[in-house]
Amino acid sequence: MTAQTPARPRKKKSRRGKFLIVTLIVLAVLLVAADFALAAAGEYQIAQRMREKLQLNEDPSVRINGFPFALQALRGDYQHVEIRASGVPVKDEQQGVDLRDLDVEADLLHTRVELADLLAGNVSKATIDTVKGSVRIKALDLNRLANQVTPFDKLSIEPDNRVATPTQTDPAAPKTTAAIKLSGETNVAGKVVSLTAYGQIALVSGAIQINIDDIELNDASLKQIIPQLRQALAIKIDPGTLPFGAVPTAVEVESGSFKLSGQIADVPLVQR
């Protein structure tokens, strides 16, 4: 009679394998959670410093991109930090600047600071290789500035899609002009008149200069006021320097806003 071979303990091995997989998954989840928590702590500290630097009423939105955060922290080199703030006022009575609703953005490329210093809020030695900064000037401020000359209402900002973008000799060069379309209303002798203005914005000494070429009115009998409206909309808007002291080098027209942008290299995270 042939002896029977003992059955292999498959269930035990199967259970051990499942337990190992579950353990590895739990460990991975905990490591990811710890990485995000560490990143959030770093973002909070940067937000606090940027609130002071940009003189904001509340903390800006800060995001440290790249995963894992811990690897960047060990190197002391955070490859890409995004900073965003909305509704930022800028006022300088000496320079005649009075803007109330700017969107401010800064992309920090390679922020260098030790993790211990970052978490402690000690960023006095932190430096940034490159900052790409921008501000958006929205229709609310444009309407208010235009009203100082001629009463306007409901002014909107759009790119003028009728005009083809001119080909630049160097495609990588910053664009210093852009075609615009402004729409809104004005008041003439108690009568509300709708208008559409076409022209361009140009970068002039770090500011936006609006130049209007043509204005269309919904009432052709009032064409005599067009020169007056053209002059009223020839506004220069100077928001001052960009985040971290970057000098504006390019302008764009977006739906609802004008955008000024530029970049600066080798700057401290906070003023020493």
Side-chain angles (χ1 to χ4, degrees), residues 138-187:
K138 291 179 279 187
L140 180 66
D141 274 322
L142 173 63
N143 208 126
R144 189 174 52 79
L145 293 172
N147 258 308
Q148 295 175 6
V149 181
T150 298
F152 287 97
D153 190 26
K154 300 179 183 178
L155 279 177
S156 65
I157 301 170
E158 296 291 340
D160 184 0
N161 296 321
R162 307 174 312 164
V163 180
T165 304
T167 303
Q168 296 189 173
T169 306
D170 181 3
K175 297 178 181 178
T176 56
T177 62
I180 60 168
K181 173 185 174 182
L182 304 178
S183 301
E185 297 176 348
T186 188
N187 192 297

Side-chain angles (χ1 to χ4, degrees), residues 35 38 67 91 131 136 163 214 223 229 243:
D35 194 81
L38 195 61
F67 181 83
K91 188 165 186 175
V131 175
R136 285 182 173 84
V163 180
D214 185 30
K223 62 181 181 179
L229 296 176

Side-chain angles (χ1 to χ4, degrees), residues 54-130:
L54 300 176
Q55 298 179 342
L56 305 176
N57 293 325
E58 56 186 31
D59 290 352
S61 168
V62 174
R63 180 176 179 178
I64 301 176
N65 293 311
F67 181 83
F69 171 84
L71 185 58
Q72 297 184 77
L74 289 173
R75 294 172 176 170
D77 178 6
Y78 307 89
Q79 296 180 10
H80 182 197
V81 180
E82 295 181 6
I83 300 173
R84 305 288 184 262
S86 299
V88 178
V90 175
K91 188 165 186 175
D92 188 332
E93 294 180 359
Q94 292 182 348
Q95 299 294 328
V97 178
D98 185 11
L99 301 171
R100 304 175 187 178
D101 191 32
L102 296 180
D103 284 351
V104 177
E105 298 182 358
D107 290 286
L108 283 52
L109 307 181
H110 296 287
T111 302
R112 303 182 186 277
V113 56
E114 297 296 328
L115 177 61
D117 288 338
L118 176 62
L119 296 180
N122 178 21
V123 291
S124 59
K125 297 180 181 178
T127 60
I128 310 161
D129 286 10
T130 305

Side-chain angles (χ1 to χ4, degrees), residues 14-27:
S14 177
R15 287 175 183 174
R16 287 176 184 173
K18 289 180 180 178
F19 179 77
L20 180 60
I21 292 172
V22 171
T23 302
L24 290 174
I25 291 173
V26 171
L27 285 174

